[in-house]
Amino acid sequence: DGLVKELRKLRSDILIVIASGYGDPLVQKQFAHDRLIVFLEKPYLGSQLAEVLGKIGIKLAKTSIS
């Protein structure tokens, strides 16, 4: 929560990816209003990471990411 607030002070338009192994629904609900926050639950597939990075304009080279 604190880190998100600090990042928003610096740049309100930045996409924030929260990668967590806990998948806490309360945390996800807390940030549900923010369309620039994406949750990526660990363990995640390379294709899931590529999809999230694609949302911010980062295109990965074609590899055997699954």
Side-chain angles (χ1 to χ4, degrees):
D1 183 34
L3 180 58
V4 170
K5 287 179 184 176
E6 290 300 314
L7 288 170
R8 288 287 176 250
K9 284 181 192 176
L10 296 172
R11 288 214 24 211
S12 62
D13 64 336
I14 194 168
L15 177 69
I16 298 172
V17 179
I18 298 176
S20 174
Y22 297 104
D24 187 344
L26 294 176
V27 173
Q28 292 182 15
K29 185 177 179 181
Q30 177 182 2
F31 297 111
H33 68 281
D34 193 328
R35 63 179 180 80
L36 294 175
I37 293 181
V38 178
F39 287 90
L40 196 54
E41 192 169 337
K42 295 178 186 176
Y44 50 84
L45 300 174
S47 59
Q48 292 170 309
L49 177 60
E51 180 181 343
V52 169
L53 293 176
K55 290 181 181 182
I56 59 171
I58 298 173
K59 302 295 180 196
L60 300 177
K62 297 278 183 188
T63 62
S64 59
I65 296 177
S66 55

